[in-house]
Amino acid sequence: MGEMEQLRKEAESLKDQITAARKAVQDSTLQEAAAGITVVGRIQMKTRKTLRGHLAKIYAMHWSTDSKLCVSASQDGKLIVWDSVTTNKVNAIPLKSSWVMTCAYAPSGNLVACGGLDNMCSIYNLKGKDGNVKVMRELAAHTGYLSCCRFISDTEIITSSGDCTCILWDIETGTQKTVFAGHQGDCMSLAVAPDFKFFISGACDFTAKLWDIREGTCRQTFGGHESDVNAIGFFPNGNAVITGSDDATCKLFDLRADQELITYQDSSIMCGVTSLAPSLSGRLILAGYDDFNVNIWDMLKAERVGVLAGHDNRVSCIGVSADGMACCTGSWDSFLKIWN
Amino acid sequence: MSNLYLCAPQMEDIVTRIQDEKAGGVAIRTVKSFLSKIPSVVSGADIVQWLMKNLSIEDPAEAIHLGSLIAAHGYIFPISDHVLTLKDDGTLYRFQSPYFWPSNCWEPENTDYAIYLCKRTMQNKARLELADYEAENLARLQRAFARKWEFIFMQAEAQVKIDRKKDKAERKILDSQERAFWDVHRPVPGCVNTTEMDIRKCRREKNPHRVKKSVYGVPDDGQSQPSPVHISSQPSRKPTKEDVQKEITFLNIQLDRHCMKVSKVADSLMTYTEQFMEYDPFVSGVEPSNPWISDDTTFWDMEASRDPSQQRVKKWGFSLEEALKDPAGRDQFLKFLESEFSSENLRFWLAVQDLKRRPLQEVSTRAQEIWQEFLAEGAPSSINLDSHSYELTSQNLKDPGRYSFEDAQEHIFKLMKSDSYARFLRSNIYQDLLLARKKQPADTEQGRRTSLEKFTRSVGKSLTGKRLTGLMQSS
């Protein structure tokens, strides 16, 4: 047997052992454990505000940590910072490239970032001395489109790309600190853990990966989806991961049990999941779909408990504010809506 | 082709079943209208009924939404409208021919569209008259294709000849199906174009053998433009020995992990959500009111104040992480530790958090300051680290960075969690805030117990109140 053959056999054997280890702890299922809990009552949310101003498809939005400001990115080539309470535009930032796919708000509120087909992540300083918003850094190294970006602080940001990698950048020096390689398909989205020590990425290889930010290594890989993983998020305490896929399902994976706990699906839902966000307690999962709706799931019972219908085109992004008060949806119909 | 490639099989399954009259499908019939007959139609209401019954949908609005989705992708269409939605009434619909189904990977060129519009003007039928937007489109295309208009005209004529040979009733059906096809690929202005693709998924060839075919059999003259988003795809190479070795290393790391039992993690998830549901505005009521609904910002003002509510103070008791998340929680914990003259751990933890946010030029100096204050020999606020962690940190300080104290910080956090945090929760400082009582100079055991009883009663009341509000909101 050649060395390659031996190595392959070893890898296969390890995979079997991991599967066995996962099975060994399956003394129950989430469904069984939650059998005694009643489903959350029907959730009916209304649109409280509509943010109008973009002229083309909105691809991304992100809340500021103050739960009032948010930033959105549209193919009209603009990044808009909104005061969602008053619906006023705080900043309207024109972009060099209109093919923007992602945007992010720094936890401090000082910076915003965006990127897309230009393969770069551009950082903008909102609190510049003369009041003008200018490009502070252009982080270039990815060889594919920028699908998602999230700030760790004002000095570090993580990006995911169509080149199948994620990168941790030092914003001050504009250099790459760590490259996270391992996915076999375009990385579509990422989310940072509440303790800022880990992050997760979803990709077109149908898997989600958990990465150690400081070590630069992949700790765990979660499979099970039958198509691209478009959306990903952490459960509020960081112990579980929620994914949304083109296969029209969302899944909950537990990090400590190293496996999928439950799938959120319905035979009448046929369109892919584009985005998702958990509510503050984690009991609800709000997921945006290609069929223009947002479905609200009871996380423990895997039942649909509400629908947000109000957009006239695909819901491309969704976010729940840090104080859990409001949910914001962005759509290809060029509008953002605030719900609760 | 849109991401529809994934849900197309499911939609096509539904559309096939709905037409299968022998197997419980809707009744497709000919409807008499004035002087003519309308062949092969079904009412919107019938479709909605079928969807509700056969897909177990309880809410008619949901069935209408699904039906409209199927219509938007062109599988069913209203016979007398260009707008592809489903109405739950007597509006008549027809089924699209499988030839035109999206799964055939149509990406019709403008030449085809020009031929189509052109031939419609050649036939003297009221039902084929161009709508305003179509007339505008035709004018635009005539300008764009000025040089090859003769060719397009000839193709249109040829199509008219072919069509004339068909049976009258069949033609009505085919004409409508053709129009519905174009309604999908050249939608009415203002309508959603369901063939639009997410640009991130554009370049990935899902059907590599797809050849751009013409609806009217017009040969490709090689002038078709490539899609504007043309990025070379990642070449897939065969895995090398190194790749497999890397994989083995990674798999070994994964195997080494200790897997927790599912029952335990499930319990943990349930406990967490239960604890926090009263703080979740989507599930429980908000005191005094939800600012988004009432336009009263009192809730936000209270959250921002350093004078916390009992509910907020209660959260600090859930975990050390929660206590430290709240600036007021940090303040009170620090105050307690200072009263015990044991605040160095928390001050170290806070200093390290701050270090992580410092600009690069300040990092080195600040790191050294932290070392001097907390870890150096004879440090004024000496913290207790095990020798391994101490060594590691000392090593890190040779090339100081923002994360030089990561290991030490983790240790100190665990220490606080197991020791001082528990004491904090039992302390007067915390209990006073939790029970919202003023400090009693002579605090007796009995006094504390009575207050606890009062607290339990009052918390019980306020929780019930909140649950009721929550129920009312979500009913």
Side-chain angles (χ1 to χ4, degrees):
Chain A
M1 215 189 308
E3 200 183 338
M4 191 58 166
E5 256 312 293
Q6 263 181 317
L7 288 173
R8 262 198 256 262
K9 270 202 122 179
E10 194 180 340
E12 283 311 306
S13 152
L14 286 169
K15 281 187 199 160
D16 289 338
Q17 288 178 63
I18 289 173
T19 308
R22 285 175 176 165
K23 261 210 125 127
V25 295
Q26 275 172 15
D27 60 339
S28 178
T29 64
L30 181 57
Q31 221 124 32
E32 281 166 30
I37 297 184
T38 28
V39 181
V40 158
R42 186 135 190 93
I43 307 282
Q44 269 159 346
M45 294 199 212
K46 292 205 182 105
T47 303
R48 303 295 172 187
K49 311 275 177 186
T50 301
L51 306 178
R52 293 165 221 274
H54 278 302
L55 305 170
K57 298 191 181 82
I58 293 173
Y59 258 77
M61 70 77 50
H62 195 213
W63 282 100
S64 166
T65 46
D66 74 351
S67 299
K68 293 180 204 143
L69 298 176
C70 67
V71 65
S72 62
S74 159
Q75 305 257 287
D76 63 3
K78 286 249 167 54
L79 207 61
I80 298 182
V81 176
W82 308 83
D83 176 332
S84 50
V85 183
T86 60
T87 72
N88 289 338
K89 300 179 194 43
V90 178
N91 300 102
I93 307 164
L95 305 172
K96 273 194 212 167
S97 160
S98 71
W99 299 101
V100 64
M101 295 165 172
T102 180
C103 62
Y105 221 124
S108 64
N110 296 332
L111 310 172
V112 288
C114 69
L117 281 189
D118 58 357
N119 299 1
M120 285 194 316
C121 181
S122 304
I123 315 282
Y124 294 83
N125 186 355
L126 296 177
K127 310 279 170 78
K129 285 183 202 131
D130 54 359
N132 278 338
V133 176
K134 282 187 289 212
V135 181
M136 199 180 96
R137 280 290 175 278
E138 281 175 343
L139 308 173
H142 278 300
T143 53
Y145 60 83
L146 208 81
S147 53
C148 193
C149 57
R150 285 291 178 261
F151 284 92
I152 307 251
S153 64
D154 278 6
T155 51
E156 286 182 317
I157 191 169
I158 300 184
T159 56
S160 65
S161 165
D163 68 8
C164 310
T165 70
C166 297
I167 294 180
L168 170 71
W169 305 82
D170 181 306
I171 297 175
E172 279 177 311
T173 58
T175 55
Q176 306 174 59
K177 281 180 96 168
T178 316
V179 178
F180 302 88
H183 274 299
Q184 306 282 321
D186 304 12
C187 293
M188 293 297 284
S189 70
L190 72 98
V192 180
D195 65 4
F196 293 98
K197 297 204 167 117
F198 299 95
F199 78 92
I200 40 175
S201 58
C204 293
D205 60 4
F206 310 176
T207 70
K209 282 181 184 284
L210 176 77
W211 307 88
D212 183 320
I213 297 178
R214 297 301 136 210
E215 301 283 313
T217 51
C218 171
R219 295 285 221 88
Q220 287 166 266
T221 302
F222 299 100
H225 276 297
E226 291 164 10
S227 185
D228 303 350
V229 177
N230 298 320
I232 200 161
F234 269 101
F235 184 77
N237 69 0
N239 285 340
V241 164
I242 310 154
T243 54
S245 163
D246 267 345
D247 67 8
T249 73
C250 293
K251 285 180 188 284
L252 178 76
F253 297 93
D254 189 283
L255 299 184
R256 295 175 301 179
D258 192 36
Q259 56 191 278
E260 175 188 329
L261 289 187
I262 207 161
T263 299
Y264 306 94
Q265 65 189 345
D266 189 301
S267 55
S268 63
I269 301 174
M270 287 171 230
C271 288
V273 179
T274 59
S275 50
L276 62 84
S279 71
L280 184 134
S281 65
R283 184 62 194 267
L284 303 176
I285 297 174
L286 294 89
Y289 291 73
D290 276 348
D291 68 359
F292 316 170
N293 282 350
V294 170
N295 289 312
I296 307 177
W297 298 90
D298 178 328
M299 185 270 303
L300 293 175
K301 307 292 285 183
E303 283 185 36
R304 213 160 30 133
V305 293
V307 178
L308 304 180
H311 282 293
D312 297 324
N313 205 327
R314 183 181 298 193
V315 173
S316 55
C317 49
I318 195 169
V320 171
S321 59
D323 62 5
M325 280 278 166
C327 159
C328 178
T329 52
S331 164
W332 278 13
D333 69 5
S334 83
F335 300 117
L336 293 146
K337 286 181 186 275
I338 311 286
W339 311 75
N340 62 25
Chain B
M1 193 177 55
S2 67
N3 294 348
L4 183 61
Y5 84 100
L6 249 191
C7 43
Q10 282 152 300
M11 278 199 209
E12 282 169 14
D13 176 64
I14 289 177
V15 171
T16 309
R17 279 163 58 197
I18 207 177
Q19 292 178 69
D20 191 349
E21 294 188 63
K22 292 185 198 126
V26 289
I28 303 172
R29 53 198 202 286
T30 301
V31 166
K32 286 206 186 112
S33 142
F34 300 128
L35 306 163
S36 63
K37 293 192 200 142
I38 306 173
S40 190
V41 286
V42 106
S43 76
D46 282 350
I47 296 176
V48 173
Q49 281 305 308
W50 187 94
L51 289 172
M52 284 177 70
K53 183 170 164 221
N54 289 273
L55 298 180
S56 314
I57 297 174
E58 283 166 15
D59 184 7
E62 210 189 297
I64 293 172
H65 180 257
L66 179 58
S68 290
L69 191 67
I70 294 174
H73 287 289
Y75 290 101
I76 57 177
F77 57 92
I79 57 165
S80 29
D81 198 349
H82 285 286
V83 179
L84 301 170
T85 57
L86 182 69
K87 291 194 196 141
D88 186 12
D89 56 18
T91 312
L92 297 176
Y93 292 82
R94 198 168 276 149
F95 291 98
Q96 181 58 282
S97 154
Y99 175 70
F100 283 128
W101 279 2
S103 50
N104 286 334
C105 306
W106 290 108
E107 276 178 38
E109 298 285 326
N110 276 333
T111 36
D112 274 357
Y113 188 44
I115 293 170
Y116 168 67
L117 290 177
C118 193
K119 80 163 175 166
R120 269 180 53 192
T121 62
M122 290 175 180
Q123 295 152 297
N124 196 11
K125 282 193 168 60
R127 65 180 164 85
L128 294 172
E129 229 170 65
L130 293 184
D132 286 345
Y133 79 97
E134 287 174 315
E136 275 174 39
N137 286 345
L138 181 57
R140 242 188 333 109
L141 289 166
Q142 274 171 331
R143 287 194 297 274
F145 291 130
R147 291 220 196 98
K148 53 188 219 174
W149 197 254
E150 215 182 301
F151 169 76
I152 288 176
F153 193 85
M154 273 167 44
Q155 291 293 322
E157 275 185 328
Q159 288 298 316
V160 169
K161 266 200 195 140
I162 295 171
D163 289 347
R164 274 210 191 106
K165 292 190 184 141
K166 296 190 184 124
D167 166 74
K168 203 170 152 194
E170 207 193 332
R171 281 216 29 220
K172 262 193 194 165
I173 296 172
L174 291 172
D175 284 349
S176 69
Q177 288 173 332
E178 192 184 13
R179 190 196 67 199
F181 171 79
W182 287 110
D183 285 342
V184 169
H185 292 273
R186 297 290 185 277
V188 182
C191 278
V192 175
N193 184 342
T194 54
T195 63
E196 276 179 326
M197 261 192 285
D198 185 328
I199 54 179
R200 295 171 295 189
K201 315 259 181 171
C202 252
R203 66 171 177 89
R204 292 162 59 228
E205 288 296 282
K206 297 209 167 70
N207 184 359
H209 303 297
R210 179 176 73 228
V211 170
K212 281 212 178 164
K213 48 192 178 186
S214 158
V215 183
Y216 304 112
V218 174
D220 183 14
D221 59 0
Q223 281 189 1
S224 47
Q225 299 296 317
S227 110
V229 176
H230 189 68
I231 308 160
S232 53
S233 41
Q234 299 292 325
S236 54
R237 52 174 188 48
K238 275 173 94 174
T240 63
K241 239 191 281 178
E242 263 174 21
D243 288 336
V244 187
Q245 269 161 345
K246 262 194 215 162
E247 199 190 352
I248 289 173
T249 315
F250 165 68
L251 290 169
N252 271 313
I253 295 174
Q254 270 213 272
L255 195 56
D256 255 346
R257 299 185 61 258
H258 169 66
C259 274
M260 222 184 246
K261 290 211 178 111
V262 171
S263 58
K264 227 182 154 199
V265 301
D267 243 7
S268 158
L269 284 172
M270 295 191 303
T271 310
Y272 186 90
T273 52
E274 183 150 18
Q275 258 184 339
F276 283 88
M277 265 171 76
E278 84 173 76
Y279 298 89
D280 188 339
F282 291 167
V283 186
S284 307
V286 170
E287 304 284 314
S289 66
N290 190 322
W292 291 98
I293 303 173
S294 66
D295 280 332
D296 168 20
T297 60
T298 311
F299 176 82
W300 279 327
D301 298 334
M302 280 167 53
E303 284 290 298
S305 83
R306 292 278 173 136
D307 184 18
S309 66
Q310 273 178 289
Q311 204 191 16
R312 221 170 111 194
V313 173
K314 187 167 126 190
K315 235 202 271 187
W316 303 348
F318 292 168
S319 68
L320 178 54
E321 286 90 338
E322 281 301 319
L324 293 178
K325 245 200 232 173
D326 188 336
R330 289 201 292 267
D331 286 348
Q332 293 301 322
F333 190 26
L334 190 63
K335 192 168 151 198
F336 164 70
L337 291 172
E338 275 167 357
S339 76
E340 283 198 336
F341 304 103
S342 63
S343 64
E344 64 280 354
N345 283 343
L346 181 58
R347 281 188 294 116
F348 170 71
W349 190 89
L350 292 169
V352 175
Q353 285 298 89
D354 171 72
L355 174 68
K356 291 190 232 187
R357 288 183 206 118
R358 290 294 183 105
L360 212 51
Q361 55 203 58
E362 293 176 27
V363 168
S364 192
T365 326
R366 191 73 194 108
Q368 289 297 344
E369 284 170 10
I370 293 177
W371 175 266
Q372 289 303 319
E373 173 75 17
F374 297 99
L375 286 160
E377 236 185 80
S381 312
S382 173
I383 59 171
N384 209 353
L385 272 190
D386 66 280
S387 56
H388 181 256
S389 191
Y390 191 88
E391 272 311 305
L392 184 62
T393 311
S394 171
Q395 281 298 317
N396 289 345
L397 261 284
K398 293 199 174 140
D399 182 18
R402 288 195 194 97
Y403 298 94
S404 297
F405 295 102
E406 249 347 49
D407 187 72
Q409 199 192 26
E410 253 184 71
H411 273 89
I412 293 300
F413 186 84
K414 284 193 188 128
L415 205 60
M416 288 195 292
K417 196 168 175 171
S418 61
D419 183 29
S420 39
Y421 174 61
R423 287 204 314 278
F424 168 61
L425 293 182
R426 293 194 296 267
S427 75
N428 285 340
I429 289 178
Y430 178 72
Q431 289 292 325
D432 285 349
L433 284 172
L434 185 64
L435 307 176
R437 68 181 175 202
K438 297 238 157 63
K439 241 192 161 167
Q440 310 279 12
D443 226 331
T444 60
E445 263 296 323
Q446 189 156 46
R448 258 184 242 137
R449 235 193 307 129
T450 318
S451 299
L452 192 58
E453 277 173 36
K454 279 193 201 151
F455 162 68
T456 317
R457 260 183 272 137
S458 79
V459 165
K461 267 200 210 130
S462 76
L463 272 180
T464 319
K466 285 194 184 68
R467 289 240 173 78
L468 270 177
T469 321
L471 277 173
M472 279 161 72
Q473 265 209 331
S474 54
S475 62

